[in-house]
Amino acid sequence: MTGGGHEEIELGDAHAARLRSPSASPPPPPLSPTDLKQQSQPLMDRFLESLPPPAHFAVLASCVFLFFGAHNYLQEGISRMEGFEGLGSMLGYLEVVGVMVCSFFERRFVGENVRKVSFKDYMQLTACLLGSSYLSTVGLNYINYPTKVVFRSCKLIPTMLVALVVNKEIFSPSEILSALAVCLGLILFAFADMAGDSKVSTPFGLALQGGSVVADAFLPNLQQALFKKGASTLEVTYFTNLYVFLIMSLLGAGTGQLIGVANFVWTNQAGAISLVLYTVVAYVAISFHMRVVARYGSVAAVLLGNVRKAGTIALSFLVFPKPFSMLYVYGSLLVLGGLTAYTYVKEARR
């Protein structure tokens, strides 16, 4: 009896020691849905969420300007390379391929494997994207450059109208006036920068360009609607470019341009590196653009795009000196003033 009692005491002491040991500590509490969502976010999103609202917008806007500027620079450089003549339209196709591949691997890296939005919703977005690109390209054959600039500069207005109908957004008079100021400023910038154009615009060309602008206005609003349905920026980026890639591959299979690009890459090492860099930069630029749409809405994304265009014109003025015009001054005041006012009003309403 005595021995058995000592054995029980020893067993009990050993059991208590194991309970006290670190290896036997209770399991950690389960993560909340918010914690799980944060863990599945890309590192850039976690960093941006840690910033105060003004800094958050400033970082996004700066990245949009920087990477789209690099994108445009590379696009221009590649199109001028020897051996790439007549293949300029393939840059858009290669950009789609690059963005599709990069977003595929990033989705796998963050553990995102489920599509949250229906195929039908993505088809609407894909149709608008292809329609905008096709109508704009064909329409250039029937309108002059100043007319094209006016149409593209005023894209912000139909974007606000579509946002009002599709996403039920309400805009204050201050936001509307700010948007009009940015549009007018960009038009002044463009007219000061361009030479005369004697080409006459036709009603058919105006109709095509108008259709392109309307389709373009739907794009960020449809993206914003998908975000509201639970889709991530990675999901929207990947599936939109996947479907665009499939359609463009079917339409362009018989043109022979794919073979021309393959020959260019095979015979021009510098060109091949430039194309890879171009697609990666395009992916980064589009990723930041999608974050702007997801966080600040379609109108803010188009507004930033307009300001970026004005910055591109200003940069070209500095790099390639040309006669000075007061239109640059007036355009700058309108664009920067409109953007500042819109940002202030938007942040005040958040």
Side-chain angles (χ1 to χ4, degrees):
M1 289 290 295
T2 304
H6 284 299
E7 185 179 352
E8 288 180 2
I9 293 172
E10 291 171 359
L11 289 173
D13 291 341
H15 180 64
R18 283 197 300 270
L19 288 176
R20 290 193 299 269
S21 66
S23 61
S25 59
L31 294 174
S32 66
T34 302
D35 293 333
L36 288 172
K37 180 180 179 181
Q38 289 178 346
Q39 281 195 357
S40 64
Q41 284 182 324
L43 291 176
M44 177 55 69
D45 287 338
R46 296 186 214 174
F47 166 71
L48 290 171
E49 291 300 328
S50 68
L51 299 175
H56 187 286
F57 181 80
V59 170
L60 279 180
S62 299
C63 290
V64 167
F65 295 157
L66 174 64
F67 286 102
F68 269 109
H71 167 272
N72 294 342
Y73 175 81
L74 288 168
Q75 187 179 57
E76 181 70 16
I78 293 171
S79 64
R80 293 174 179 271
M81 283 186 173
E82 185 179 352
F84 207 79
E85 299 86 355
L87 299 175
S89 60
M90 291 303 297
L91 282 175
Y93 179 80
L94 295 173
E95 181 177 317
V96 168
V97 173
V99 172
M100 177 188 68
V101 172
C102 290
S103 57
F104 172 82
F105 283 109
E106 188 174 358
R107 289 189 79 223
R108 294 297 179 269
F109 179 76
V110 301
E112 184 179 304
N113 300 309
V114 179
R115 188 182 70 187
K116 296 183 179 180
V117 179
S118 68
F119 173 79
K120 176 184 176 182
D121 290 323
Y122 280 114
M123 280 296 97
Q124 293 175 348
L125 185 59
T126 303
C128 285
L129 182 60
L130 290 173
S132 171
S133 176
Y134 177 78
L135 292 174
S136 177
T137 302
V138 176
L140 287 178
N141 297 321
Y142 302 95
I143 62 172
N144 57 30
Y145 181 72
T147 305
K148 176 212 170 188
V149 169
V150 172
F151 267 89
R152 307 308 295 182
S153 300
C154 295
K155 184 179 70 173
L156 184 58
I157 307 304
T159 301
M160 296 181 79
L161 293 175
V162 175
L164 180 66
V165 175
V166 175
N167 294 319
K168 312 300 181 185
E169 289 193 42
I170 304 299
F171 301 100
S172 67
S174 299
E175 289 175 300
I176 296 173
L177 288 175
S178 299
L180 290 173
V182 172
C183 292
L184 180 58
L186 186 59
I187 291 173
L188 294 180
F189 247 99
F191 271 102
D193 185 65
M194 62 194 174
D197 191 339
S198 59
K199 185 177 180 180
V200 177
S201 299
T202 66
F204 180 63
L206 296 176
L208 289 177
Q209 200 66 30
S212 172
V213 170
V214 171
D216 225 7
F218 273 94
L219 277 175
N221 285 292
L222 290 176
Q223 290 169 344
Q224 186 178 354
L226 296 185
F227 294 140
K228 289 181 178 180
K229 292 183 178 181
S232 67
T233 56
L234 278 175
E235 178 186 327
V236 175
T237 303
Y238 171 66
F239 283 103
T240 302
N241 284 276
L242 172 63
Y243 298 137
V244 169
F245 164 73
L246 294 175
I247 294 174
M248 290 182 71
S249 297
L250 290 175
L251 295 177
T255 63
Q257 290 194 329
L258 285 174
I259 298 176
V261 171
N263 291 332
F264 173 78
V265 170
W266 184 259
T267 58
N268 191 327
Q269 184 178 5
I273 295 174
S274 297
L275 285 174
V276 172
L277 183 60
Y278 169 76
T279 57
V280 172
V281 169
Y283 174 65
V284 176
I286 290 171
S287 296
F288 281 112
H289 167 79
M290 298 291 275
R291 286 177 170 92
V292 173
V293 176
R295 175 66 181 257
Y296 296 99
S298 57
V299 174
V302 175
L303 188 70
L304 274 181
N306 279 5
V307 176
R308 175 176 57 82
K309 292 174 185 175
T312 302
I313 295 173
L315 183 61
S316 70
F317 178 80
L318 296 174
V319 175
F320 306 104
K322 60 195 73 176
F324 177 77
S325 170
M326 284 300 296
L327 292 179
Y328 285 112
V329 178
Y330 301 142
S332 298
L333 292 175
L334 286 169
V335 169
L336 296 178
L339 177 63
T340 302
Y342 184 88
T343 305
Y344 176 80
V345 173
K346 194 75 173 178
E347 286 297 333
R349 292 179 57 188
R350 290 183 67 85

